[in-house]
Amino acid sequence: NNNAYNNNNTYNHNVNMRYIDIDGDPSTFSSSSADLEIPNPLCYKIVYAGLYWGAVTSGPESITNVKFKGPSGGYNDVVGSVIYDAAGVPTGNSFPYACYADVTAIVTGLATNTGTYTLANVSSAQGRTDQLNPYNGTGYSAGWSLFVVYEDPTLPSKSITSFDGFSAISSAVNLNVPISGFRTVPAPSPVRAN
């Protein structure tokens, strides 16, 4: 992001946001990686993998098209669906977006599915935000996450439910989020819920 600290530890918004590109691949931009570790590596089965990405403000590139690479193999082209897009919504000079794609088939099809995952081509605005009028103190940033559900017969039974969504929230905005669809584990497993 464009936030930095100088030698006096004072906050400075005058830094330019630029893409990080860790993969060294000239055909990609804005690449970053994270490691997936599963505690019992010899006794698991991945049953779902959801990929999420977004930015404070999109750049000129497509927000729905990214490249996704697992611990083995090369990049896969992924086209996601938009969960939220504030383009055209009056939110000052920040126009956040969030996208999602089900990448279960990609993750389960890998020769090795634990280890380093890389996502590239997450669209984000670049540059400075301190000169925007009205002033934008949020800066520019982008990110992604991989949500993985796996089965391990050595662990207690659980029922996993995920909800996809995104909303802008501020001190002036109240938001109700209705949630339903939670299920318990099937019988005869004991139900222990909090």
Side-chain angles (χ1 to χ4, degrees), residues 119-191:
L119 190 71
N121 297 1
V122 176
S123 178
S124 175
Q126 299 183 75
R128 295 166 51 167
T129 63
D130 62 322
Q131 302 298 316
L132 295 177
N133 188 8
Y135 174 73
N136 176 346
T138 62
Y140 292 138
S141 63
W144 63 277
S145 61
L146 180 63
F147 176 70
V148 175
V149 177
Y150 63 92
E151 295 175 347
D152 181 340
T154 67
L155 296 174
S157 296
K158 295 181 175 104
S159 178
I160 308 286
T161 305
S162 68
F163 298 91
D164 300 330
F166 185 98
S167 294
I169 300 173
S170 69
S171 59
V173 175
N174 290 322
L175 181 68
N176 270 338
V177 181
I179 296 176
S180 63
F182 288 109
R183 288 180 257 162
T184 63
V185 293
S189 297
V191 175

Side-chain angles (χ1 to χ4, degrees), residues 17-110:
M17 193 298 211
R18 295 285 176 245
Y19 286 139
I20 186 169
D21 200 12
I22 61 110
D23 65 4
D25 183 339
S27 70
T28 67
F29 61 91
S30 185
S31 60
S32 62
S33 64
D35 293 338
L36 173 63
E37 297 176 4
I38 296 180
N40 192 358
L42 300 177
C43 196
Y44 75 92
K45 176 185 174 188
I46 292 178
V47 294
Y48 174 75
L51 180 64
Y52 297 84
W53 66 92
V56 169
T57 300
S58 64
E61 306 87 7
S62 168
I63 64 173
T64 56
N65 296 20
V66 294
K67 291 186 175 288
F68 178 62
K69 178 169 58 172
S72 59
Y75 274 116
N76 296 274
D77 291 323
V78 173
V79 178
S81 56
V82 175
I83 296 172
Y84 181 83
D85 186 4
V89 178
T91 57
N93 282 296
S94 293
F95 300 96
Y97 75 88
C99 294
Y100 158 81
D102 184 333
V103 293
T104 306
I106 294 172
V107 172
T108 58
L110 295 170

